Amino acid sequence: WESVGAFPGEEVELVKAYPREAATQLSRAGLLAVTTKLNGGKGSGLYLSRDCGETWEPGPKTRFRIEDMAWMDRDGLPSLLFATDLGLYELTARAGAGPLQIVVDPGDLALGFYAVAVSTDTWGKTSVALAARNDRGVFLSSDGGKPNTFVNIGLNGEMVRILAVQH
């Protein structure tokens, strides 16, 4: 291991590489995302690297805390999904892009999430799972995590903080 980034005054919280099994295109190899803690943990900073951490592009600073993140492709571009204390957000990995909220539960737009997991099957269909705060269980979108495609699939009343995909 070696340090490949310096983010003065910020504490690194998460590091996510674009998934190896999905990085079949050269444009995805070496794609990394880092979140840092801001404002005493109430906000997050985001940094992207396209060359395995040799150089870093500053991304948006948020007023909410990013709890977890996962990479996926959307319309041919790499996108990063954020599980936050104020909802699910997506950021397309291109210059000038900002995070956009994805509606999971139209009745509770501020529902927060602890974890996000992305799975793409052998036919290229992508599913997104979320571990909800407030013991609201697990939500699943079998339609690529598009707005209003999530369904609560169970574990209501249970605290779920970690998700994993088993192939």
Side-chain angles (χ1 to χ4, degrees), residues 56-79:
W56 291 95
E57 305 166 19
K61 308 282 188 215
T62 66
R63 293 183 183 157
F64 48 79
R65 182 160 184 254
I66 297 172
E67 297 278 350
D68 192 19
M69 56 185 171
W71 285 104
M72 67 177 287
D73 271 2
R74 172 119 40 226
D75 301 325
L77 294 172
S79 290

Side-chain angles (χ1 to χ4, degrees), residues 16-69:
K16 292 287 180 167
Y18 194 88
R20 192 177 102 187
E21 60 274 357
T24 55
Q25 300 174 355
L26 284 175
S27 63
R28 307 293 193 268
L31 189 55
L32 297 172
V34 166
T35 62
T36 61
K37 188 187 304 186
L38 300 175
N39 304 326
K42 294 180 182 169
S44 294
L46 177 72
Y47 297 86
L48 297 176
S49 175
R50 299 174 193 281
D51 55 12
C52 294
E54 291 293 320
T55 60
W56 291 95
E57 305 166 19
K61 308 282 188 215
T62 66
R63 293 183 183 157
F64 48 79
R65 182 160 184 254
I66 297 172
E67 297 278 350
D68 192 19
M69 56 185 171

Side-chain angles (χ1 to χ4, degrees), residues 42 64 85 100 102 125 132:
K42 294 180 182 169
F64 48 79
D85 51 359
L100 299 173
I102 296 175
K125 186 174 179 182

Side-chain angles (χ1 to χ4, degrees), residues 6-18:
F7 311 100
E10 299 176 44
E11 179 183 337
V12 172
E13 288 204 297
L14 295 169
V15 179
K16 292 287 180 167
Y18 194 88

Side-chain angles (χ1 to χ4, degrees), residues 64-150:
F64 48 79
R65 182 160 184 254
I66 297 172
E67 297 278 350
D68 192 19
M69 56 185 171
W71 285 104
M72 67 177 287
D73 271 2
R74 172 119 40 226
D75 301 325
L77 294 172
S79 290
L80 202 52
L81 295 178
F82 304 126
T84 80
D85 51 359
L86 292 178
L88 176 67
Y89 287 81
E90 180 177 3
L91 177 74
T92 304
R94 62 180 154 80
L100 299 173
Q101 187 172 16
I102 296 175
V103 176
V104 175
D105 180 356
D108 188 357
L109 296 178
L111 175 63
F113 301 97
Y114 289 116
V116 57
V118 174
S119 176
T120 302
D121 65 21
T122 55
W123 297 278
K125 186 174 179 182
T126 300
S127 296
V128 177
L130 299 167
R133 287 174 166 268
N134 303 326
D135 300 338
R136 292 274 310 274
V138 176
F139 285 78
L140 178 70
S141 166
S142 296
D143 195 13
K146 293 177 183 169
N148 297 308
T149 62
F150 287 86

